[in-house]
């Protein structure tokens, strides 16, 4: 007997073909454009900051705390928010928010098409928001800008929707790499948040874009690593408990931040004014917060460096934690423009710095680093991105294990407590639910022989058209369609009521045999060793609900398969999961119980 795999030589691990090289080449162009856009945006933010707070047209790194404006500085975030509200209302509403959910929404619902208007207004609005004191990072807008560049380039080329998505994400990865010098974390961000698939056709171009962006930013002498850190701690059971504990605290912090942001958004939605004015209210809160703690304003990358140095007083860390957390949540909830990565790093780092004295002994800045990464990973639902981000941004690979432990515990906390992350909640509020669990489709693992009916009811080729009509309409006929077989067991075709009706309308004689009627017809056959993934395509192309299954050796009928058999595969998989979980599971009140 012929081995089943002999006829599966056309199957491969991946469906990617040589076209991926073309898309990867285009991704190089996208990466270069993304680097240019990212650098331009960072310079624009610094320019707006210096103009607003110091009245100077310069790209110097001036500190907001040194502004000569005094109390008048409270009004700057309000003025910036007014401009953003006007831009959003009369330009494009898509500039509202922190960039990543908007990119996800464009990928899921917009066929990865972003307009040139968004590509211009998003970085401009973000520069105004952050430059006027908004407590955001540049990375979200840069990611959105890089994605818009990738999308615009793709729209000018004859590419598919999937390839356009890949180029959009390639631009986003290049943008993130430009800001932080973290190509591996950018690739992981694409995999965990943006691609919604794991295939070489998307992974390779995105990786190419991130690597090219890193090489180009290095050639431009941008700093890398951005926040050098050489500390660590000895591995021990005590240390392990400490990593897990800081991860748990970071997870709780992530839950609180996420809920605070959307509580603020819900509060703004209840106001009897147009959403265009909401950012001004958020800007006022930001300005007042800046009076209390000036370090909470702007991108605040200096705060990250201070936490890693380990020389921040507990009181200062707690003050920054509270003020930054509140003004960031209110401003983001008001619908202004800005990123989330840097604020999450600062808020998490402040918590870690404040708790360092309560945790096992470690080098200064170690616990702040773990809290930064864990808070970021838990809030965004991207633990691998956060882990590699912390390693790359500090240049310290020796903390890989502690970082992984903290990020996994924090991620576990948010997964179990929250239905959605801070990113997907915004999309869900727009009426779109998505799942971020990716697994192999059971159709790709199940063969036709596993689900087909082997006891097949057939009709002979010698049956007349009149007899077939009587048979199909008889009360005791149990199925809507039947295979027609000749004397040797070969399948000639299928009959069902629509086929009988067509033949009668075509004027065929009532005594014509089914063999004669099917003699010149085409028939789609299934084989026992093919997978249901291919079978589903056959059913769709043939526009039928059932197919006869024949042996590859002699083409004789051995089974019958239909769409209900495919559905049973999914139901069986879910039933198996329920059966395994019934002995130890959580009820709706959260307590464990035995189902028996």
């Amino acid at each position: 007997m012929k081995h089943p795999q002999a006829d599966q030589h056309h199957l491969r691990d991946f469906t990617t073909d040589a076209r991926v090289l073309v898309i990867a080449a285009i991704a190089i162009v996208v990466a270069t454009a993304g680097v240019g856009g990212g650098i331009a945006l960072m310079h624009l933010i610094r320019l707006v900051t210096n103009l607003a707070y110091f009245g100077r047209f310069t790209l110097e790194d001036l500190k907001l705390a040194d502004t000569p404006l005094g109390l008048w500085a409270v009004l700057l975030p309000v003025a910036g928010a007014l401009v953003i509200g006007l831009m959003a209302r009369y330009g494009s509403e898509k500039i509202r928010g922190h960039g990543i959910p908007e990119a996800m929404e464009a990928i899921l619902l917009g066929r990865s098409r972003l307009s040139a208007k968004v590509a211009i207004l998003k970085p401009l609005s973000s520069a105004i928001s952050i430059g006027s004191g908004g407590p955001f990072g540049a990375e979200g807008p840069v990611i959105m800008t890089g994605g818009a560049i990738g999308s615009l380039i793709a729209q000018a080329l004859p590419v598919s929707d999937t390839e356009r998505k890949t180029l959009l994400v390639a631009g986003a990865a290049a943008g993130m790499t430009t800001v932080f010098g973290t190509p591996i974390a950018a690739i992981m961000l694409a995999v965990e948040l943006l691609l919604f698939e794991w295939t070489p056709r998307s992974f390779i171009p995105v990786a190419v874009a991130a690597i090219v962006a890193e090489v180009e930013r290095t050639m431009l002498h941008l700093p890398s690593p951005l926040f050098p850190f050489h500390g660590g701690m000895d591995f021990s059971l005590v240390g392990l408990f400490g990593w897990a504990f800081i991860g748990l605290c970071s997870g709780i912090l992530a839950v609180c931040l996420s809920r605070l942001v959307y509580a603020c958004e819900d509060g703004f939605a209840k106001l009897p004014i147009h959403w265009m004015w909401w950012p001004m209210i958020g800007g006022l809160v930001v300005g007042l917060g800046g009076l209390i703690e000036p370090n909470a304003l702007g991108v605040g990358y200096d705060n990250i460096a201070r936490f890693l140095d380990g020389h921040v007083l507990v009181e200062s860390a707690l003050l920054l934690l509270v003020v930054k957390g509140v003004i960031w949540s209110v401003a983001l909830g008001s619908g202004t423009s800005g990123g989330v990565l840097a604020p999450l790093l600062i808020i998490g780092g402040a918590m870690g710095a404040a708790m360092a004295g309560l945790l096992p002994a470690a080098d200064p800045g170690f616990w702040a680093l773990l809290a930064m990464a864990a808070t970021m990973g838990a809030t965004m639902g991207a633990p691998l991105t956060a882990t590699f981000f912390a390693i790359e941004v500090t240049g310290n690979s020796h903390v890989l294990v502690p970082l992984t432990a903290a990020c996994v515990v924090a991620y576990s906390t948010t997964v179990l407590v929250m239905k959605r992350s801070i990113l997907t909640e915004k999309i869900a509020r727009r009426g779109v639910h998505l799942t971020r669990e990716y697994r192999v489709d059971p159709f790709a693992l199940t063969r036709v022989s596993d689900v087909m009916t082997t006891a097949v009811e057939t009709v002979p080729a010698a049956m007349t058209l009149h007899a077939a009509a009587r048979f199909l309409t008889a009360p005791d006929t149990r199925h809507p369609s039947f295979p027609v077989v000749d004397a040797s067991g070969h399948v000639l075709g299928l009959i069902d009521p629509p086929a009988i009706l067509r033949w009668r309308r075509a004027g065929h004689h009532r005594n014509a045999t089914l063999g004669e009627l099917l003699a010149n017809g085409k028939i789609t056959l299934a084989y026992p060793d093919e997978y249901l993934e291919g079978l589903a395509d056959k059913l769709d192309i043939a526009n039928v609900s059932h197919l006869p299954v024949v042996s590859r050796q002699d083409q004789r009928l051995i089974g019958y398969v239909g769409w209900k058999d495919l559905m049973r595969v999914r139901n069986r998989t879910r039933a198996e999961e329920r059966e395994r979980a019934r002995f130890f599971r959580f009820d709706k009140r959260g307590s464990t119980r035995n189902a028996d």
Side-chain angles (χ1 to χ4, degrees):
M1 181 177 177
K2 194 175 182 181
H3 195 279
Q5 292 184 350
D7 294 295
Q8 303 292 339
H9 63 278
H10 62 285
L11 298 178
R12 306 171 59 202
D13 286 351
F14 305 105
T15 59
T16 303
D17 55 28
R19 186 173 170 83
V20 69
L21 302 178
V22 176
I23 304 303
I26 300 173
I28 296 176
V29 179
V30 170
T32 302
V35 170
I39 293 175
L41 177 55
M42 289 188 289
H43 285 168
L44 183 59
I45 291 172
R46 184 169 294 179
L47 178 62
V48 173
T49 302
N50 293 339
L51 281 172
Y53 282 87
F54 300 94
R56 296 174 57 185
F57 192 86
T58 177
L59 294 178
E60 292 182 49
D61 187 14
L62 304 178
K63 309 302 180 186
L64 295 184
D66 298 331
T67 179
L69 295 179
L71 293 177
W72 290 105
V74 173
L75 300 179
L76 285 179
V78 180
L82 173 61
V83 176
I84 294 167
L86 291 170
M87 291 174 66
R89 182 170 183 179
Y90 298 107
S92 174
E93 191 176 345
K94 293 184 181 296
I95 68 172
R96 304 176 70 210
H98 44 90
I100 298 179
E102 288 71 27
M104 296 170 73
E105 187 174 28
I107 291 169
L108 289 169
L109 304 178
R111 298 176 60 194
S112 302
R113 294 180 181 270
L114 290 171
S115 66
K117 182 188 293 186
V118 173
I120 296 172
L121 292 181
K122 182 63 179 181
L124 183 59
S125 64
S126 299
I128 294 172
S129 174
I130 301 171
S132 60
F136 305 109
E139 62 291 325
V142 169
I143 287 172
M144 184 68 168
T145 301
I149 291 172
S151 176
L152 290 173
I153 291 175
Q155 289 177 55
L157 299 171
V159 298
S160 67
D161 287 353
T162 299
E163 292 167 339
R164 190 183 308 113
K165 174 192 68 176
T166 298
L167 293 173
L168 185 157
V169 177
M176 180 176 175
T177 302
T178 302
V179 177
F180 290 114
T182 55
I184 308 304
I187 295 170
M188 295 311 303
L189 180 78
V191 172
E192 290 191 298
L193 292 179
L194 298 176
L195 285 175
F196 298 100
E197 64 174 278
W198 175 240
T199 60
R201 66 175 179 175
S202 59
F203 171 79
I204 292 172
V206 169
V208 167
I211 294 168
V212 168
E214 174 64 14
V215 171
E216 291 180 347
R217 78 181 301 276
T218 302
M219 293 172 63
L220 293 171
H221 306 292
L222 295 179
S224 186
L226 202 59
F227 307 109
F229 175 73
H230 305 290
M233 74 172 294
D234 295 332
F235 286 19
S236 65
L237 287 178
V238 174
L240 175 60
F241 285 118
W243 308 339
F245 181 72
I246 199 70
L248 176 63
C249 294
S250 299
I252 295 172
L253 177 61
V255 172
C256 294
L257 289 172
S258 300
R259 291 181 173 172
L260 181 58
V261 166
Y262 287 104
C264 292
E265 185 173 293
D266 292 338
F268 280 107
K270 296 177 182 178
L271 296 177
I273 56 176
H274 193 277
W275 56 257
M276 182 187 78
W277 307 108
W278 297 353
M280 291 184 64
I281 301 174
L284 180 61
V285 175
V286 171
L288 294 174
L291 291 181
I292 301 172
E293 173 54 276
N295 289 319
L297 300 178
V299 292
Y301 291 157
D302 290 345
N303 295 317
I304 298 175
R306 288 170 51 226
F307 291 142
L308 294 178
D309 287 340
H311 301 302
V312 179
L313 297 177
V314 174
E315 294 80 4
S316 298
L318 289 174
L319 180 63
L320 183 57
L321 168 64
V322 174
V323 174
K324 185 80 172 183
V326 170
I327 66 174
W328 173 73
S329 300
V330 173
L332 199 60
S334 72
T336 190
S337 181
V340 299
L341 268 69
L344 290 175
L345 293 173
I346 294 169
I347 295 170
M351 184 192 70
M355 295 178 59
L358 306 176
L359 295 166
D363 291 334
F366 174 80
W367 294 112
L369 175 62
L370 261 62
M372 285 182 196
T375 303
M376 169 185 161
T379 308
M380 298 176 62
L384 295 179
T385 298
T387 300
F388 286 103
F389 177 89
I391 291 172
E392 290 183 293
V393 83
T394 61
N396 188 348
S397 61
H398 300 293
V399 292
L400 174 60
V401 174
L403 280 170
T404 304
C407 288
V408 168
V409 172
Y411 178 61
S412 303
T413 303
T414 53
V415 166
L416 294 175
V417 174
M418 296 197 305
K419 292 181 177 180
R420 305 178 185 92
S421 74
I422 196 173
L423 306 179
T424 56
E425 176 68 24
K426 181 173 286 293
I427 300 174
R429 286 174 172 234
R430 295 170 183 169
V432 179
H433 172 72
L434 60 94
T435 179
R436 292 176 57 193
E437 294 183 344
Y438 309 119
R439 55 178 70 90
V440 178
D441 193 326
F443 284 8
L445 298 174
T446 308
R447 295 180 185 270
V448 171
S449 58
D450 297 329
V451 300
M452 69 182 187
T453 299
T454 54
V456 188
E457 295 185 49
T458 64
V459 296
M463 179 180 283
T464 65
L465 178 59
H466 178 67
R470 292 181 59 187
F471 171 71
L472 289 176
T473 57
D476 57 346
T477 299
R478 295 180 296 174
H479 306 297
S481 64
F482 293 85
V484 179
V485 297
D486 60 18
S488 59
H490 295 107
V491 180
L492 302 181
L494 298 176
I495 63 164
D496 54 19
I500 299 298
L501 191 60
R502 286 195 303 271
W503 286 326
R504 283 192 166 181
R505 286 177 175 175
H508 290 288
H509 194 273
R510 65 199 302 266
N511 291 324
T513 65
L514 297 179
E516 294 170 348
L517 296 171
L518 294 169
N520 298 319
K522 294 182 179 179
I523 179 172
T524 303
L525 300 174
Y527 298 94
D529 57 344
E530 68 179 321
Y531 291 94
L532 298 189
E533 195 172 44
L535 177 70
D537 293 336
K538 284 186 175 182
L539 289 169
D540 179 53
I541 294 172
N543 194 26
V544 296
S545 59
H546 293 79
L547 286 178
V549 183
V550 300
S551 169
R552 288 189 183 272
Q553 285 71 32
D554 55 18
Q555 298 296 300
R556 293 179 183 274
L557 181 71
I558 59 174
Y560 205 45
V561 65
W563 66 270
K564 285 188 177 180
D565 299 310
L566 274 66
M567 295 302 101
R568 290 192 189 101
V569 173
R570 294 193 183 277
N571 293 335
R572 184 177 63 191
T573 302
R574 288 193 292 265
E576 289 174 351
E577 288 293 332
R578 289 194 295 268
E579 183 65 23
R580 283 194 292 268
R582 63 191 294 264
F583 295 104
F584 185 76
R585 65 186 179 198
F586 286 81
D587 63 19
K588 293 182 180 180
R589 293 179 298 277
S591 60
T592 59
R593 64 184 178 90
N594 189 309
D596 293 330

